[in-house]
Amino acid sequence: MSDYNHHADHVGTEVAPAQTKRIWQVFLILSAVTTLEFVIAFTIKTGYFKTSLFVGLTIVKAFYIVGEFMHLKHEVKGLIWAILLPTLFVCWLLLAMMLEGGSIFNLR
Amino acid sequence: MATTVTTESTELFDKKTWMGGVEPMNASYGKLMMWFFLISDTFTFSALLVTYGLIRFSFPVYDPAIHGAFQFSNLYWPIPEQVYNSVPFLHGVDAPLIFVGIMTFILIFSSVTMVLAVEAGHRMDRPTVEKYMLWTILGGFAFLGCQAWEWSHFIHGTEQGMSIKEIVSGEWVSRTVFGANLTENQYGPPAFADLFFFITGFHGTHVFSGVLLNMLIFYRTATGLYQRRGHYEMVEKVGLYWHFVDLVWVFVFTFFYLV
C-alpha cells in the first residue's frame, strides 16, 4: 500500500480508471462457495464427511476475504505470520475443547 | 556508550530507526493497530465459538433410529435447518436456511461494495467512494433488519411450541413452551438458545458499530476531509473492520447454521 497518491493538488482531476476485475472475481468465488454449501447442506448425509466439507469450504472463504478483501496476501511476511500464528493456536483450542465436550458427553 | 556502536554492521539499526516515521511491517500505524485489534477480537469471537463446540459436543445428537421423527426436544441438540426455516411474509412455509442465506449474501455483498470504496479511495475518486460507502451502509442496515426479524421470530417461537414435563412440588406437570429466552427454549436445550443469543448478538453489535463507523467515514468523505488530507486511508482501516465482521459471519454461518 505504498503506492498512495500523496499529491493534494491532484484534487478532482484526471481520476485513474477503476481496477475492479479482481474484486468481482473474488465476489463470484465467494458466492459460488456459499451456494455450494447450500447444495451440500441438503444433499449429503450428516456425518464427519459433511462437517469436514463445511469446515474446508469455510477456510476457502476466509482465505479469500482475508487475503484479497483485507489485502493480507499482499502484505509483508511478518504481518501475515503475526495474524496467522495466533489463529492456528485458536484452531487447536477449538479442537481440544470439542474433544473435551465429547468426553463430558460420555461421562454423563 | 553511543560512540561504541558506530560500526558498519549497525547500519540497519541506526539512530533514525528510533526517531519515528518508520513503518514496521510496511503498514502505517493505524492499519497495524487495526490488525492487532482485529486479532484480539478474533480471540473474543473464538472464545464464543469454542464454547459452542464444547457445549454442543457434550449434548446427544439427534438420531432418527433412537428418537424417531424429528421434533423439538430438550433431550438432544436440534438440527439447525429445522429451527431456522422461516422467511418473512411467508408464514407457515417451510424454507430451511433460506433467510439466513439471504443474510449471508447481503453481508458478502456489502463487503464487496466496501472493497470497491477502498479501491476508489486509492484513485482519489471521491464520488465513487461516496457511492460505494452508501451501498455498504445500506447493506449493513439490511443485515441488521434481517437479524432483528430473526431474533423476534426465535423469541416468539412457532405455533405448536414444545411440550415439556417437569416436577413441580413433587408431581409431574406437563406444559407447553413457546419460543426461547435465556432460561427456556422450545427448540432444544436452553444452552442452544443462550449460545444463539450470545453469538449472533455479539456479532450484531459488531455490525451495528461497523455501520456507525461507515456513516462517519461517509460523512468525512462527503465533506471532503480525505480529499484535503491527500489519502483515503481511513476508508481502508474501517474497511478492514467491516471485512472482519463479514468474516466472523462466515464462521457463525458455518458452525451455527450449517454443521
Side-chain angles (χ1 to χ4, degrees):
Chain A
M1 290 286 84
S2 52
D3 53 343
Y4 269 133
N5 193 343
H6 281 293
H7 301 287
D9 56 343
H10 209 65
V11 180
T13 53
E14 45 173 317
V15 168
Q19 311 228 323
T20 55
K21 204 180 138 208
R22 181 68 185 152
I23 297 170
W24 290 112
Q25 234 173 13
V26 174
F27 171 63
L28 280 181
I29 293 169
L30 289 176
S31 305
V33 172
T34 309
T35 315
L36 185 64
E37 281 179 336
F38 265 93
V39 173
I40 290 170
F42 296 115
T43 51
I44 293 178
K45 236 181 96 234
T46 311
Y48 283 112
F49 177 65
K50 190 179 181 180
T51 309
S52 41
L53 264 183
F54 279 143
V55 172
L57 288 174
T58 305
I59 291 170
V60 169
K61 276 160 84 177
F63 171 79
Y64 279 104
I65 291 173
V66 178
E68 295 291 344
F69 284 179
M70 295 170 89
H71 215 262
L72 188 64
K73 219 171 118 187
H74 311 283
E75 304 286 357
V76 294
K77 270 204 184 108
L79 184 50
I80 294 176
W81 282 112
I83 302 303
L84 259 183
L85 266 182
T87 321
L88 289 178
F89 284 112
V90 168
C91 292
W92 175 72
L93 178 67
L94 182 65
L95 191 70
M97 280 300 151
M98 270 168 19
L99 294 173
E100 192 66 28
S103 120
I104 291 173
F105 169 65
N106 286 328
L107 289 172
R108 260 183 192 161
Chain B
M1 289 288 272
T3 50
T4 57
V5 288
T6 48
T7 52
E8 277 172 29
S9 59
T10 53
E11 218 174 300
L12 266 174
F13 290 97
D14 69 350
K15 247 164 69 185
K16 261 189 277 173
T17 312
W18 307 99
M19 300 288 276
V22 177
E23 294 180 342
M25 296 176 179
N26 262 344
S28 72
Y29 172 77
K31 242 168 80 177
L32 205 56
M33 289 307 117
M34 183 51 97
W35 271 111
F36 289 152
F37 164 68
L38 291 183
I39 194 79
S40 71
D41 220 13
T42 307
F43 295 152
T44 319
F45 272 111
S46 322
L48 288 168
L49 284 176
V50 166
T51 311
Y52 181 81
L54 175 87
I55 292 178
R56 189 193 168 142
F57 273 69
S58 66
F59 272 91
V61 286
Y62 162 70
D63 185 350
I66 303 168
H67 304 108
F70 183 84
Q71 54 177 2
F72 295 134
S73 160
N74 50 14
L75 294 177
Y76 46 80
W77 205 255
I79 303 174
E81 58 207 58
Q82 301 283 349
V83 178
Y84 310 103
N85 64 347
S86 315
V87 174
F89 312 116
L90 295 173
H91 185 74
V93 178
D94 180 45
L97 299 181
I98 298 297
F99 191 56
V100 73
I102 295 170
M103 285 165 73
T104 306
F105 272 105
I106 288 173
L107 213 55
I108 290 180
F109 198 74
S110 82
S111 216
V112 171
T113 53
M114 186 80 220
V115 80
L116 286 169
V118 171
E119 193 272 339
H122 285 165
R123 296 182 284 107
M124 302 295 291
D125 185 351
R126 184 169 133 191
T128 316
V129 177
E130 286 173 22
K131 181 178 87 182
Y132 284 125
M133 282 314 292
L134 271 185
W135 277 111
T136 311
I137 293 166
L138 187 73
F141 273 125
F143 182 86
L144 285 174
C146 289
Q147 208 171 33
W149 186 88
E150 174 108 334
W151 270 52
S152 164
H153 182 79
F154 193 79
I155 290 168
H156 290 113
T158 58
E159 277 149 2
Q160 311 86 280
M162 174 179 75
S163 60
I164 55 164
K165 266 187 180 171
E166 58 190 356
I167 296 179
V168 178
S169 48
E171 276 178 47
W172 282 101
V173 179
S174 170
R175 69 190 171 95
T176 311
V177 174
F178 294 100
N181 53 45
L182 288 177
T183 52
E184 282 188 336
N185 176 10
Q186 76 151 84
Y187 308 100
F192 173 73
D194 296 352
L195 286 161
F196 173 81
F197 288 129
F198 271 92
I199 295 177
T200 61
F202 198 56
H203 176 261
T205 314
H206 274 74
V207 177
F208 179 67
S209 40
V211 169
L212 290 186
L213 287 174
N214 283 344
M215 291 200 290
L216 178 72
I217 295 301
F218 170 75
Y219 174 76
R220 289 178 145 190
T221 307
T223 50
L225 178 77
Y226 301 134
Q227 201 76 17
R228 285 195 298 278
R229 192 180 278 176
H231 61 82
Y232 279 78
E233 208 193 65
M234 275 313 288
V235 181
E236 210 175 320
K237 281 183 261 190
V238 172
L240 279 179
Y241 179 74
W242 190 252
H243 296 315
F244 174 76
V245 169
D246 180 32
L247 179 73
V248 170
W249 182 255
V250 164
F251 279 90
V252 171
F253 176 64
T254 301
F255 291 114
F256 215 95
Y257 292 94
L258 289 179
V259 174

